[in-house]
Amino acid sequence: MAAPGRVAAFRLPPLPTIGEIIKLFRLKAQRQLSQNFLLDLRLTDKIVKQAGELKNAHVCEVGPGPGGITRSILSAGVDQLLLIEKDARFIPGLQMLSEAAPGKVRIVHGDILTYKMDKAFPKHLKKNWEDEPPDIHIIGNLPFSVSTPLIIKWLENVSKKDGPFSYGRTQMTLTFQKEVGERLTANPGGKQRSRLSIMAQHLCSVENCFIIPGQAFVPKPEVDVAVVHFTPLVQPKIEQPFELVEKVVRSVFQFRRKYCFRGLETLFPESGRLKRTEQLMMTANVDPTLRPFQLSMSQFRNLCDTYRKMCDEDPSLFVFNYREELKQKKKTKNLLKSTSQPEQTEEEDQL
């Protein structure tokens, strides 16, 4: 019997092991979906521990698969667990877990990239953005194919304070390919510094918690896996709309090995490109001979703020698309080539 005034820890009843679940339901990781199963419950416990205090919390697990991390989350004493699984083959095994934890688990068969998370949790959990993070956590061993588009989508949600972040500064603990984990946390000057570094770090506190060796997964991936923890910042480091920041950052890193001047040129139409790029860099006080990975967060902030002012003065700037301009130039070139071709043929015939 539990001691007076103390809540007994939640324990799952005896269940088949994850390996037995895989055999029972004939589950096989699909390479095209970049699926890898984590069977070691000590490692799944370690991942869940990085999320922080989960007792009585509401958790959303993305892509639970055969349910290894799911067991560790339930053992942490959560109040409610929402499972979002795209692959129907895993649903029967997850239902078995749901039955072992009555009233705690809700299973959604769907795609996390399209699932609306702004109504996924009870309204009473909502907190003001300036407050401590709400008792809501997102946890997931993400397939490599979906991890980058998903974190970009969630970072956009952080910027707009919608989706799972309409409840406040919801924390996330997610797995990524080791190299992606390094990009997310890379400092200025680091060889892994990239668009992802800026987009994540200007909106969140990002921590690379630990590395799981590839051999811990079944089937074994060719790379190791990083566990990364995100906590949205009260104040973003660049206070501009997500689309504007992403456009500037993407342009800078378009020519990663060249001077940052070269990438920033692509923000402007060919007519007046050089003059406007010089104006942007001078006003933002950024050395045009720095490489993209050498720029600090404050330099990116200056570039975004200056570009915003330029867009306010000339609204056509923001909708300008460098790739589209290149396509049009190529199209015009081909058209001129094709119209001049018959004349050459006639001259050849006369000769």
Side-chain angles (χ1 to χ4, degrees), residues 252 255-263 288-292:
V252 171
F255 302 101
R256 183 180 169 75
R257 290 191 178 88
K258 298 191 176 181
Y259 294 145
C260 60
F261 187 96
R262 179 68 189 91
T289 63
L290 288 173
R291 312 282 177 184

Side-chain angles (χ1 to χ4, degrees), residues 7-27:
V7 180
F10 175 80
R11 285 180 182 271
L12 284 167
L15 287 163
T17 64
I18 299 296
E20 286 166 348
I21 290 276
I22 289 169
K23 282 180 187 172
L24 179 65
F25 295 105
R26 296 178 182 177
L27 301 172

Side-chain angles (χ1 to χ4, degrees), residues 40-187:
D40 187 337
L41 292 183
R42 288 170 303 177
L43 282 173
T44 61
D45 284 348
K46 194 176 176 184
I47 291 171
V48 170
K49 199 175 177 185
Q50 298 303 321
E53 180 55 63
L54 294 185
K55 195 161 187 64
N56 301 323
H58 286 242
V59 176
C60 170
E61 187 190 354
V62 182
I69 294 177
T70 315
R71 295 182 187 213
S72 296
I73 294 170
L74 287 169
S75 297
V78 298
D79 185 26
Q80 292 289 314
L81 175 57
L82 168 64
L83 303 175
I84 301 173
E85 179 54 66
K86 187 179 179 181
D87 193 333
R89 298 174 305 144
F90 297 119
I91 302 295
L94 296 173
Q95 282 171 337
M96 187 184 283
L97 272 176
S98 175
E99 287 159 15
K104 281 185 177 285
V105 181
R106 181 158 62 96
I107 302 167
V108 172
H109 177 212
D111 187 343
I112 188 61
L113 284 167
T114 55
Y115 182 72
K116 305 285 184 196
M117 287 191 73
D118 48 351
K119 292 176 183 169
F121 307 103
K123 283 181 182 175
H124 73 264
L125 295 172
K126 284 193 176 190
K127 287 199 173 185
N128 292 324
W129 195 258
E130 298 73 25
D131 296 342
E132 286 298 301
D135 259 353
I136 298 172
H137 298 261
I138 297 171
I139 299 175
N141 173 29
L142 306 176
F144 296 154
S145 61
V146 81
S147 61
T148 303
L150 185 55
I151 194 59
I152 287 290
K153 172 182 154 62
W154 276 337
L155 288 171
E156 184 171 2
N157 290 144
V158 171
S159 174
K160 295 176 178 176
K161 299 177 186 174
D162 61 12
F165 307 97
S166 58
Y167 294 87
R169 295 184 297 120
T170 300
Q171 297 177 81
M172 302 182 282
T173 308
L174 308 165
T175 63
F176 296 89
Q177 199 171 324
K178 184 187 173 190
E179 190 182 320
V180 177
E182 288 169 351
R183 281 185 208 155
L184 284 161
T185 54
N187 293 318

Side-chain angles (χ1 to χ4, degrees), residues 194-212:
S194 66
R195 175 179 75 112
L196 209 50
S197 319
I198 311 302
M199 297 312 294
Q201 292 170 34
H202 104 84
L203 289 163
C204 296
S205 159
V206 191
E207 182 191 356
N208 201 334
C209 304
F210 66 96
I211 303 296
I212 304 174

Side-chain angles (χ1 to χ4, degrees), residues 248 252 260-261 263-265 267-268 273-286 302-308 310:
V248 172
V252 171
C260 60
F261 187 96
L264 286 164
E265 282 186 316
L267 288 169
F268 305 105
R273 176 169 289 156
L274 187 63
K275 189 181 174 186
R276 280 174 152 178
T277 310
E278 284 174 349
Q279 182 194 341
L280 170 64
M281 303 213 74
M282 280 180 68
T283 311
N285 194 25
V286 173
N302 291 349
L303 287 168
C304 290
D305 290 348
T306 306
Y307 179 64
R308 171 67 186 269
M310 293 172 84

Side-chain angles (χ1 to χ4, degrees), residues 34 48 118 128 176 206 218 225 231 299 314 324 327 344:
S34 58
V48 170
D118 48 351
N128 292 324
F176 296 89
V206 191
V218 178
V225 171
T231 306
Q299 286 171 317
D314 178 2
E324 203 55 50
K327 270 187 203 170
Q344 291 172 353

